[in-house]
Amino acid sequence: GTVLSAEKVVIACGGMSYPVTGSDGSGYRLAQDCGHSVVTPRPSLVPWEVEEGKFCRSLQGLSLKNTALRVEWEGKTMYTDFGEMMFSHFGVTGPMILSASTVLQPGMTLHLDLKPALSAEQLDKRLLSDFKKYRAKNLGNAFNDLLPSKLIQPFLSLCGLDPSMKVHTLTRVQRQTVLRYLKDLPLTALRSRPIAEAIVTA
């Protein structure tokens, strides 16, 4: 065969994302065979699995827009964002989650603010107004103006509330629980999805 001599050689064969396109990691093996050390590749811009899998599965396919995200680790804020996300059978995905995946590690907490345009005080007034409007209805009906219909029952279960209870029986403490979860719905990062599902390799 032909032997080509060069001072420098570029191995340009992609990472390990989208293996069906040929980016199957063979470039790393070639580099190692030539004596180079390789930092272990990991997925980036990738969906994440969370510990609250049952909650997410019940919301599979639901997209949330205009949601705020704060990623926390041991009391420190590691990342913040605002935008769109989606629930899946394994956890969370969507633009905001993919961006956050560059810093996410197992055990970190994803704090979702479902109503970032309203302060806690403003949202509490909104809740009082809606609960007054729907006071004779079941609690599940009182959120029709506030949350996507698919989210209402799983959200109330998260709050420890029965959707069939009458709105007028809701206590102040229960309303404060609703308020807390609307402004801070926590999910615990478990693991990233496989590198084959990542957009890029880090």
Side-chain angles (χ1 to χ4, degrees):
T2 305
V3 176
L4 299 176
S5 179
E7 290 185 10
K8 296 180 181 179
V9 175
V10 176
I11 302 175
C13 45
M16 293 178 69
S17 310
Y18 296 111
V20 293
T21 66
S23 297
D24 58 2
S26 57
Y28 299 116
R29 292 191 294 274
L30 176 58
Q32 283 178 314
D33 289 345
C34 293
H36 293 282
S37 59
V38 175
V39 176
T40 304
R42 60 181 177 83
S44 190
L45 300 182
V46 65
W48 265 75
E49 297 178 19
V50 298
E51 290 185 8
E52 296 78 8
K54 184 178 179 182
F55 175 76
C56 291
R57 279 192 296 277
S58 70
L59 297 170
Q60 182 176 350
L62 175 66
S63 289
L64 297 179
K65 296 181 179 179
N66 303 319
T67 301
L69 168 68
R70 179 173 57 87
V71 176
E72 185 180 279
W73 174 248
E74 295 182 344
K76 283 185 176 182
T77 296
M78 309 300 291
Y79 182 88
T80 59
D81 203 354
F82 174 85
E84 186 175 350
M85 60 161 291
M86 186 171 75
F87 293 100
S88 184
H89 66 282
F90 55 75
V92 286
T93 186
M96 190 166 61
I97 302 300
L98 296 180
S99 296
S101 73
T102 60
V103 301
L104 273 175
Q105 296 290 331
M108 288 184 176
T109 307
L110 298 89
H111 296 271
L112 302 177
D113 183 346
L114 302 179
K115 295 294 171 183
L118 299 175
S119 67
E121 292 76 19
Q122 291 170 325
L123 185 55
D124 195 30
K125 288 180 181 178
R126 169 69 189 271
L127 285 176
L128 286 169
S129 174
D130 283 5
F131 291 165
K132 182 178 180 181
K133 176 181 176 182
Y134 293 105
R135 67 181 317 275
K137 302 282 188 181
N138 290 347
L139 186 61
N141 300 120
F143 289 86
N144 289 332
D145 302 337
L146 199 63
L147 295 175
S149 58
K150 193 172 185 176
L151 180 56
I152 294 173
Q153 185 156 339
F155 175 80
L156 289 176
S157 295
L158 191 67
C159 295
L161 297 172
D162 183 351
S164 65
M165 69 184 291
K166 295 300 180 185
V167 173
H168 66 82
T169 66
L170 195 72
T171 67
R172 181 179 179 277
V173 171
Q174 289 172 322
R175 190 183 84 247
Q176 291 300 312
T177 299
V178 169
L179 177 63
R180 185 174 77 251
Y181 278 109
L182 284 172
K183 294 297 291 179
D184 186 0
L185 194 161
L187 299 171
T188 307
L190 187 59
R191 66 180 70 89
S192 72
R193 292 295 288 171
I195 199 165
E197 296 181 26
I199 295 176
V200 297
T201 305

